[in-house]
Amino acid sequence: VLQQYYSEKQLAYLYDVGISTDFQRKGLGATLIQTMCAYYKTQHVESMYVQAETEDTHAVAFYQKTPISDAMHAIQFTYDL
């Protein structure tokens, strides 16, 4: 959960959804996202987001099937430490 500087409500960042290949295509990923959204709604979190790399076509296709509010393209800047 992340604090925002422009809003009093928090954001939830879902780092990744990983379902074992033996259990994929059974609705578990969608159920996980729905459950997380329902939970964070009770916590008065403004929104939850997850990122997928454009090249990860399976992840992008999966997330596009879920009830998203918005999608945007972004550039990620990484700093090796």
Side-chain angles (χ1 to χ4, degrees), residues 27-59:
L28 296 174
T31 300
L32 177 62
I33 288 176
Q34 292 169 353
T35 302
M36 297 294 291
C37 286
Y39 170 75
Y40 282 125
K41 186 174 183 177
T42 67
Q43 302 300 304
H44 308 290
V45 172
E46 184 173 343
S47 59
M48 181 178 79
Y49 69 99
V50 63
Q51 296 172 313
E53 295 180 12
T54 307
E55 296 81 19
D56 190 349
T57 56
H58 294 291

Side-chain angles (χ1 to χ4, degrees), residues 11-24:
L11 291 175
Y13 176 63
L14 181 57
Y15 182 74
D16 200 1
V17 174
I19 304 294
S20 173
T21 54
D22 293 340
F23 297 99
Q24 289 178 0

